[in-house]
mmCIF file of all heavy atoms in Angstrom:
data_model
loop_
_atom_site.group_PDB
_atom_site.id
_atom_site.type_symbol
_atom_site.label_atom_id
_atom_site.label_comp_id
_atom_site.label_asym_id
_atom_site.label_seq_id
_atom_site.Cartn_x
_atom_site.Cartn_y
_atom_site.Cartn_z
ATOM 1 N N LYS A 1 107.185 129.849 110.309
ATOM 2 C CA LYS A 1 106.866 129.945 108.897
ATOM 3 C C LYS A 1 106.385 128.597 108.391
ATOM 4 O O LYS A 1 106.956 127.558 108.515
ATOM 5 C CB LYS A 1 108.173 130.336 108.094
ATOM 6 C CG LYS A 1 108.510 131.841 108.331
ATOM 7 C CD LYS A 1 109.832 132.123 107.489
ATOM 8 C CE LYS A 1 110.225 133.581 107.783
ATOM 9 N NZ LYS A 1 111.430 133.962 106.925
ATOM 10 N N GLU A 2 105.196 128.572 107.818
ATOM 11 C CA GLU A 2 104.672 127.357 107.291
ATOM 12 C C GLU A 2 105.422 126.911 106.010
ATOM 13 O O GLU A 2 105.883 127.724 105.218
ATOM 14 C CB GLU A 2 103.140 127.635 106.859
ATOM 15 C CG GLU A 2 102.316 127.892 107.987
ATOM 16 C CD GLU A 2 102.124 126.781 109.057
ATOM 17 O OE1 GLU A 2 102.348 125.660 108.638
ATOM 18 O OE2 GLU A 2 101.926 127.106 110.162
ATOM 19 N N LYS A 3 105.635 125.568 105.939
ATOM 20 C CA LYS A 3 106.296 124.993 104.804
ATOM 21 C C LYS A 3 105.237 124.717 103.747
ATOM 22 O O LYS A 3 104.060 124.577 103.989
ATOM 23 C CB LYS A 3 107.016 123.776 105.164
ATOM 24 C CG LYS A 3 108.185 124.046 106.098
ATOM 25 C CD LYS A 3 108.871 122.665 106.479
ATOM 26 C CE LYS A 3 109.962 122.880 107.568
ATOM 27 N NZ LYS A 3 110.496 121.683 108.008
ATOM 28 N N ARG A 4 105.670 124.490 102.478
ATOM 29 C CA ARG A 4 104.664 124.111 101.432
ATOM 30 C C ARG A 4 104.182 122.704 101.741
ATOM 31 O O ARG A 4 104.889 121.723 101.936
ATOM 32 C CB ARG A 4 105.529 124.077 100.137
ATOM 33 C CG ARG A 4 104.550 123.733 98.939
ATOM 34 C CD ARG A 4 105.448 123.702 97.651
ATOM 35 N NE ARG A 4 104.582 123.280 96.583
ATOM 36 C CZ ARG A 4 105.084 123.048 95.269
ATOM 37 N NH1 ARG A 4 106.315 123.099 95.114
ATOM 38 N NH2 ARG A 4 104.269 122.635 94.301
ATOM 39 N N ASN A 5 102.880 122.601 101.734
ATOM 40 C CA ASN A 5 102.242 121.409 102.108
ATOM 41 C C ASN A 5 101.701 120.538 100.883
ATOM 42 O O ASN A 5 100.550 120.733 100.433
ATOM 43 C CB ASN A 5 100.975 121.731 102.927
ATOM 44 C CG ASN A 5 100.413 120.412 103.522
ATOM 45 O OD1 ASN A 5 101.032 119.406 103.628
ATOM 46 N ND2 ASN A 5 99.124 120.467 103.988
ATOM 47 N N ASP A 6 102.586 119.857 100.364
ATOM 48 C CA ASP A 6 102.250 119.007 99.174
ATOM 49 C C ASP A 6 102.499 117.547 99.393
ATOM 50 O O ASP A 6 102.736 116.764 98.539
ATOM 51 C CB ASP A 6 103.098 119.442 97.955
ATOM 52 C CG ASP A 6 104.576 119.306 98.149
ATOM 53 O OD1 ASP A 6 104.928 119.034 99.256
ATOM 54 O OD2 ASP A 6 105.360 119.545 97.128
ATOM 55 N N ASP A 7 102.452 117.238 100.703
ATOM 56 C CA ASP A 7 102.667 115.748 101.073
ATOM 57 C C ASP A 7 101.496 114.970 100.822
ATOM 58 O O ASP A 7 100.342 115.467 100.494
ATOM 59 C CB ASP A 7 103.080 115.696 102.559
ATOM 60 C CG ASP A 7 102.071 116.417 103.486
ATOM 61 O OD1 ASP A 7 102.084 117.708 103.305
ATOM 62 O OD2 ASP A 7 101.310 115.812 104.154
ATOM 63 N N LYS A 8 101.596 113.689 100.921
ATOM 64 C CA LYS A 8 100.504 112.697 100.691
ATOM 65 C C LYS A 8 99.478 112.753 101.832
ATOM 66 O O LYS A 8 99.875 112.810 103.024
ATOM 67 C CB LYS A 8 100.949 111.309 100.536
ATOM 68 C CG LYS A 8 101.928 111.187 99.381
ATOM 69 C CD LYS A 8 102.525 109.859 99.246
ATOM 70 C CE LYS A 8 103.551 109.684 98.107
ATOM 71 N NZ LYS A 8 104.153 108.398 98.053
ATOM 72 N N LEU A 9 98.241 112.716 101.538
ATOM 73 C CA LEU A 9 97.122 112.672 102.418
ATOM 74 C C LEU A 9 96.396 111.323 102.427
ATOM 75 O O LEU A 9 96.095 110.871 101.309
ATOM 76 C CB LEU A 9 96.173 113.909 102.298
ATOM 77 C CG LEU A 9 96.710 115.248 102.494
ATOM 78 C CD1 LEU A 9 95.681 116.218 101.930
ATOM 79 C CD2 LEU A 9 96.847 115.491 103.991
ATOM 80 N N VAL A 10 96.161 110.766 103.584
ATOM 81 C CA VAL A 10 95.490 109.556 103.618
ATOM 82 C C VAL A 10 94.237 109.632 104.469
ATOM 83 O O VAL A 10 94.316 110.257 105.558
ATOM 84 C CB VAL A 10 96.407 108.402 104.176
ATOM 85 C CG1 VAL A 10 95.696 107.046 104.264
ATOM 86 C CG2 VAL A 10 97.654 108.298 103.311
ATOM 87 N N LYS A 11 93.118 109.186 104.003
ATOM 88 C CA LYS A 11 91.828 109.381 104.813
ATOM 89 C C LYS A 11 91.932 108.413 106.053
ATOM 90 O O LYS A 11 92.251 107.283 105.946
ATOM 91 C CB LYS A 11 90.667 108.973 103.850
ATOM 92 C CG LYS A 11 89.338 109.291 104.567
ATOM 93 C CD LYS A 11 88.150 108.933 103.769
ATOM 94 C CE LYS A 11 88.047 109.847 102.567
ATOM 95 N NZ LYS A 11 86.790 109.568 101.898
ATOM 96 N N LYS A 12 91.729 109.021 107.153
ATOM 97 C CA LYS A 12 91.815 108.266 108.392
ATOM 98 C C LYS A 12 90.932 107.088 108.457
ATOM 99 O O LYS A 12 91.252 106.085 109.064
ATOM 100 C CB LYS A 12 91.586 109.105 109.611
ATOM 101 C CG LYS A 12 92.038 108.519 110.918
ATOM 102 C CD LYS A 12 92.007 109.588 112.115
ATOM 103 C CE LYS A 12 92.544 108.896 113.426
ATOM 104 N NZ LYS A 12 92.701 109.868 114.449
ATOM 105 N N SER A 13 89.713 107.224 107.943
ATOM 106 C CA SER A 13 88.800 106.079 107.964
ATOM 107 C C SER A 13 89.231 104.966 107.240
ATOM 108 O O SER A 13 88.729 103.812 107.310
ATOM 109 C CB SER A 13 87.386 106.539 107.498
ATOM 110 O OG SER A 13 87.536 106.984 106.110
ATOM 111 N N GLU A 14 90.291 105.171 106.365
ATOM 112 C CA GLU A 14 90.720 104.099 105.410
ATOM 113 C C GLU A 14 92.013 103.425 106.098
ATOM 114 O O GLU A 14 92.517 102.462 105.447
ATOM 115 C CB GLU A 14 91.161 104.685 104.133
ATOM 116 C CG GLU A 14 89.869 104.968 103.284
ATOM 117 C CD GLU A 14 90.248 105.926 102.124
ATOM 118 O OE1 GLU A 14 91.361 106.315 101.969
ATOM 119 O OE2 GLU A 14 89.326 106.207 101.342
ATOM 120 N N VAL A 15 92.363 103.780 107.306
ATOM 121 C CA VAL A 15 93.541 103.091 107.993
ATOM 122 C C VAL A 15 92.935 101.728 108.557
ATOM 123 O O VAL A 15 92.588 101.792 109.699
ATOM 124 C CB VAL A 15 94.157 104.058 109.046
ATOM 125 C CG1 VAL A 15 95.346 103.316 109.662
ATOM 126 C CG2 VAL A 15 94.601 105.320 108.366
ATOM 127 N N ASP A 16 92.740 100.877 107.704
ATOM 128 C CA ASP A 16 92.216 99.519 108.182
ATOM 129 C C ASP A 16 93.287 98.531 108.124
ATOM 130 O O ASP A 16 93.728 98.083 107.065
ATOM 131 C CB ASP A 16 91.037 99.193 107.172
ATOM 132 C CG ASP A 16 90.344 97.922 107.580
ATOM 133 O OD1 ASP A 16 90.945 97.114 108.410
ATOM 134 O OD2 ASP A 16 89.338 97.589 107.007
ATOM 135 N N TYR A 17 93.747 98.093 109.294
ATOM 136 C CA TYR A 17 94.923 97.236 109.393
ATOM 137 C C TYR A 17 94.718 95.847 108.812
ATOM 138 O O TYR A 17 95.613 95.111 108.755
ATOM 139 C CB TYR A 17 95.343 97.192 110.826
ATOM 140 C CG TYR A 17 95.842 98.481 111.329
ATOM 141 C CD1 TYR A 17 95.628 98.774 112.697
ATOM 142 C CD2 TYR A 17 96.446 99.393 110.628
ATOM 143 C CE1 TYR A 17 96.040 100.005 113.259
ATOM 144 C CE2 TYR A 17 96.835 100.628 111.062
ATOM 145 C CZ TYR A 17 96.628 100.939 112.475
ATOM 146 O OH TYR A 17 97.155 102.054 112.956
ATOM 147 N N GLU A 18 93.414 95.506 108.489
ATOM 148 C CA GLU A 18 93.175 94.165 107.903
ATOM 149 C C GLU A 18 92.996 94.189 106.395
ATOM 150 O O GLU A 18 92.938 93.146 105.759
ATOM 151 C CB GLU A 18 91.858 93.655 108.562
ATOM 152 C CG GLU A 18 91.946 93.488 110.127
ATOM 153 C CD GLU A 18 90.672 93.028 110.692
ATOM 154 O OE1 GLU A 18 89.846 92.531 109.885
ATOM 155 O OE2 GLU A 18 90.444 93.251 111.892
ATOM 156 N N ASN A 19 92.951 95.368 105.812
ATOM 157 C CA ASN A 19 92.706 95.433 104.440
ATOM 158 C C ASN A 19 93.683 96.484 103.841
ATOM 159 O O ASN A 19 93.241 97.444 103.149
ATOM 160 C CB ASN A 19 91.240 95.789 104.080
ATOM 161 C CG ASN A 19 90.382 94.779 104.615
ATOM 162 O OD1 ASN A 19 90.236 93.703 104.090
ATOM 163 N ND2 ASN A 19 89.667 95.180 105.744
ATOM 164 N N ALA A 20 94.992 96.330 104.145
ATOM 165 C CA ALA A 20 96.015 97.378 103.703
ATOM 166 C C ALA A 20 96.012 97.621 102.154
ATOM 167 O O ALA A 20 96.225 98.631 101.620
ATOM 168 C CB ALA A 20 97.410 97.011 104.072
ATOM 169 N N ALA A 21 95.684 96.503 101.395
ATOM 170 C CA ALA A 21 95.791 96.616 99.914
ATOM 171 C C ALA A 21 94.695 97.600 99.448
ATOM 172 O O ALA A 21 94.836 98.117 98.299
ATOM 173 C CB ALA A 21 95.676 95.215 99.292
ATOM 174 N N ASP A 22 93.635 97.871 100.159
ATOM 175 C CA ASP A 22 92.561 98.649 99.710
ATOM 176 C C ASP A 22 92.691 100.142 100.072
ATOM 177 O O ASP A 22 91.998 100.989 99.755
ATOM 178 C CB ASP A 22 91.198 98.224 100.305
ATOM 179 C CG ASP A 22 90.904 96.745 99.906
ATOM 180 O OD1 ASP A 22 91.315 96.422 98.709
ATOM 181 O OD2 ASP A 22 90.249 96.056 100.580
ATOM 182 N N TRP A 23 93.792 100.515 100.739
ATOM 183 C CA TRP A 23 93.945 101.866 101.155
ATOM 184 C C TRP A 23 94.278 102.772 99.999
ATOM 185 O O TRP A 23 94.788 102.313 98.945
ATOM 186 C CB TRP A 23 95.133 102.004 102.133
ATOM 187 C CG TRP A 23 95.015 101.253 103.351
ATOM 188 C CD1 TRP A 23 93.837 100.826 103.956
ATOM 189 C CD2 TRP A 23 96.031 100.824 104.308
ATOM 190 N NE1 TRP A 23 94.029 100.149 105.060
ATOM 191 C CE2 TRP A 23 95.358 100.245 105.325
ATOM 192 C CE3 TRP A 23 97.382 100.920 104.313
ATOM 193 C CZ2 TRP A 23 96.023 99.615 106.355
ATOM 194 C CZ3 TRP A 23 98.079 100.469 105.388
ATOM 195 C CH2 TRP A 23 97.347 99.735 106.413
ATOM 196 N N LYS A 24 93.859 104.002 100.158
ATOM 197 C CA LYS A 24 94.025 104.979 99.040
ATOM 198 C C LYS A 24 94.873 106.124 99.557
ATOM 199 O O LYS A 24 94.676 106.503 100.635
ATOM 200 C CB LYS A 24 92.677 105.510 98.631
ATOM 201 C CG LYS A 24 91.723 104.450 97.975
ATOM 202 C CD LYS A 24 90.435 105.068 97.611
ATOM 203 C CE LYS A 24 89.473 104.050 97.133
ATOM 204 N NZ LYS A 24 88.111 104.549 96.802
ATOM 205 N N VAL A 25 95.811 106.570 98.707
ATOM 206 C CA VAL A 25 96.630 107.634 99.034
ATOM 207 C C VAL A 25 96.351 108.758 98.040
ATOM 208 O O VAL A 25 96.402 108.525 96.884
ATOM 209 C CB VAL A 25 98.148 107.295 98.979
ATOM 210 C CG1 VAL A 25 98.979 108.536 99.284
ATOM 211 C CG2 VAL A 25 98.365 106.135 100.000
ATOM 212 N N TYR A 26 96.057 110.002 98.545
ATOM 213 C CA TYR A 26 95.743 111.111 97.722
ATOM 214 C C TYR A 26 97.027 111.941 97.548
ATOM 215 O O TYR A 26 97.550 112.395 98.467
ATOM 216 C CB TYR A 26 94.628 111.951 98.379
ATOM 217 C CG TYR A 26 93.379 111.072 98.536
ATOM 218 C CD1 TYR A 26 93.195 110.426 99.696
ATOM 219 C CD2 TYR A 26 92.451 111.021 97.521
ATOM 220 C CE1 TYR A 26 91.970 109.668 99.891
ATOM 221 C CE2 TYR A 26 91.286 110.289 97.730
ATOM 222 C CZ TYR A 26 91.039 109.585 98.861
ATOM 223 O OH TYR A 26 89.868 108.912 99.138
ATOM 224 N N GLU A 27 97.415 112.106 96.241
ATOM 225 C CA GLU A 27 98.587 112.861 96.016
ATOM 226 C C GLU A 27 98.249 114.079 95.175
ATOM 227 O O GLU A 27 97.326 114.190 94.510
ATOM 228 C CB GLU A 27 99.618 112.005 95.246
ATOM 229 C CG GLU A 27 100.009 110.621 96.006
ATOM 230 C CD GLU A 27 100.967 109.827 95.224
ATOM 231 O OE1 GLU A 27 102.052 110.364 94.961
ATOM 232 O OE2 GLU A 27 100.655 108.704 94.926
ATOM 233 N N GLY A 28 99.197 115.108 95.222
ATOM 234 C CA GLY A 28 98.987 116.234 94.289
ATOM 235 C C GLY A 28 99.687 117.347 94.878
ATOM 236 O O GLY A 28 100.055 117.450 96.088
ATOM 237 N N GLU A 29 99.828 118.455 94.017
ATOM 238 C CA GLU A 29 100.481 119.692 94.478
ATOM 239 C C GLU A 29 99.554 120.462 95.436
ATOM 240 O O GLU A 29 98.285 120.654 95.092
ATOM 241 C CB GLU A 29 100.857 120.511 93.255
ATOM 242 C CG GLU A 29 101.878 119.952 92.364
ATOM 243 C CD GLU A 29 103.184 119.904 93.013
ATOM 244 O OE1 GLU A 29 103.605 121.040 93.534
ATOM 245 O OE2 GLU A 29 103.826 118.798 93.092
ATOM 246 N N GLN A 30 99.982 120.807 96.574
ATOM 247 C CA GLN A 30 99.127 121.682 97.452
ATOM 248 C C GLN A 30 97.846 121.049 97.701
ATOM 249 O O GLN A 30 96.825 121.726 97.638
ATOM 250 C CB GLN A 30 99.129 123.077 97.013
ATOM 251 C CG GLN A 30 100.499 123.817 96.825
ATOM 252 C CD GLN A 30 100.404 125.157 96.387
ATOM 253 O OE1 GLN A 30 99.589 125.477 95.545
ATOM 254 N NE2 GLN A 30 101.244 126.021 96.815
ATOM 255 N N THR A 31 97.760 119.804 97.994
ATOM 256 C CA THR A 31 96.501 119.085 98.226
ATOM 257 C C THR A 31 95.914 119.605 99.517
ATOM 258 O O THR A 31 96.520 119.770 100.481
ATOM 259 C CB THR A 31 96.738 117.624 98.266
ATOM 260 O OG1 THR A 31 97.386 117.125 97.165
ATOM 261 C CG2 THR A 31 95.457 116.818 98.394
ATOM 262 N N SER A 32 94.575 119.863 99.415
ATOM 263 C CA SER A 32 93.856 120.341 100.681
ATOM 264 C C SER A 32 92.880 119.213 100.999
ATOM 265 O O SER A 32 92.131 118.662 100.134
ATOM 266 C CB SER A 32 93.161 121.543 100.364
ATOM 267 O OG SER A 32 92.246 121.821 101.424
ATOM 268 N N PRO A 33 92.788 118.920 102.342
ATOM 269 C CA PRO A 33 91.808 117.889 102.715
ATOM 270 C C PRO A 33 90.377 118.294 102.409
ATOM 271 O O PRO A 33 89.412 117.489 102.209
ATOM 272 C CB PRO A 33 91.991 117.788 104.339
ATOM 273 C CG PRO A 33 93.311 118.337 104.532
ATOM 274 C CD PRO A 33 93.580 119.290 103.427
ATOM 275 N N LEU A 34 90.147 119.667 102.321
ATOM 276 C CA LEU A 34 88.824 120.111 101.976
ATOM 277 C C LEU A 34 88.348 119.649 100.600
ATOM 278 O O LEU A 34 87.112 119.548 100.344
ATOM 279 C CB LEU A 34 88.792 121.673 102.046
ATOM 280 C CG LEU A 34 89.048 122.309 103.349
ATOM 281 C CD1 LEU A 34 89.149 123.768 103.255
ATOM 282 C CD2 LEU A 34 88.051 121.881 104.460
ATOM 283 N N ASP A 35 89.284 119.239 99.721
ATOM 284 C CA ASP A 35 88.979 118.850 98.403
ATOM 285 C C ASP A 35 88.185 117.602 98.386
ATOM 286 O O ASP A 35 87.510 117.176 97.562
ATOM 287 C CB ASP A 35 90.213 118.660 97.596
ATOM 288 C CG ASP A 35 90.901 119.974 97.292
ATOM 289 O OD1 ASP A 35 90.248 121.047 97.432
ATOM 290 O OD2 ASP A 35 92.113 119.934 96.970
ATOM 291 N N TYR A 36 88.322 116.763 99.515
ATOM 292 C CA TYR A 36 87.767 115.460 99.647
ATOM 293 C C TYR A 36 86.569 115.364 100.485
ATOM 294 O O TYR A 36 85.909 114.292 100.634
ATOM 295 C CB TYR A 36 88.861 114.493 100.086
ATOM 296 C CG TYR A 36 90.092 114.466 99.278
ATOM 297 C CD1 TYR A 36 91.217 115.058 99.759
ATOM 298 C CD2 TYR A 36 90.022 114.081 97.973
ATOM 299 C CE1 TYR A 36 92.346 115.136 99.061
ATOM 300 C CE2 TYR A 36 91.223 114.064 97.180
ATOM 301 C CZ TYR A 36 92.417 114.616 97.741
ATOM 302 O OH TYR A 36 93.525 114.721 96.983
ATOM 303 N N LEU A 37 86.155 116.458 101.085
ATOM 304 C CA LEU A 37 84.892 116.468 101.880
ATOM 305 C C LEU A 37 83.659 116.280 101.096
ATOM 306 O O LEU A 37 83.529 116.730 99.935
ATOM 307 C CB LEU A 37 84.811 117.802 102.756
ATOM 308 C CG LEU A 37 85.974 117.983 103.707
ATOM 309 C CD1 LEU A 37 85.703 119.310 104.474
ATOM 310 C CD2 LEU A 37 86.015 116.834 104.815
#
């Protein structure tokens, strides 16, 4: 049984270990990665 997926999504291309302060976290109820394509 799938759980409700409302966790934070982070774009993989933004996982830059040298510029952590610039990372963006996308939050929201039932967020879908498709929203950001």
Side-chain angles (χ1 to χ4, degrees):
K1 292 183 178 180
E2 298 294 332
K3 296 175 184 175
R4 183 182 176 188
N5 187 21
D6 58 356
D7 51 294
K8 299 175 180 178
L9 292 168
V10 180
K11 189 180 289 189
K12 190 168 185 176
S13 61
E14 290 164 356
V15 183
D16 181 347
Y17 295 147
E18 297 176 21
N19 300 288
D22 296 332
W23 296 341
K24 298 177 183 176
V25 178
Y26 300 91
E27 303 180 58
E29 294 292 310
Q30 297 179 327
T31 307
S32 169
L34 297 177
D35 296 337
Y36 304 109
L37 294 179

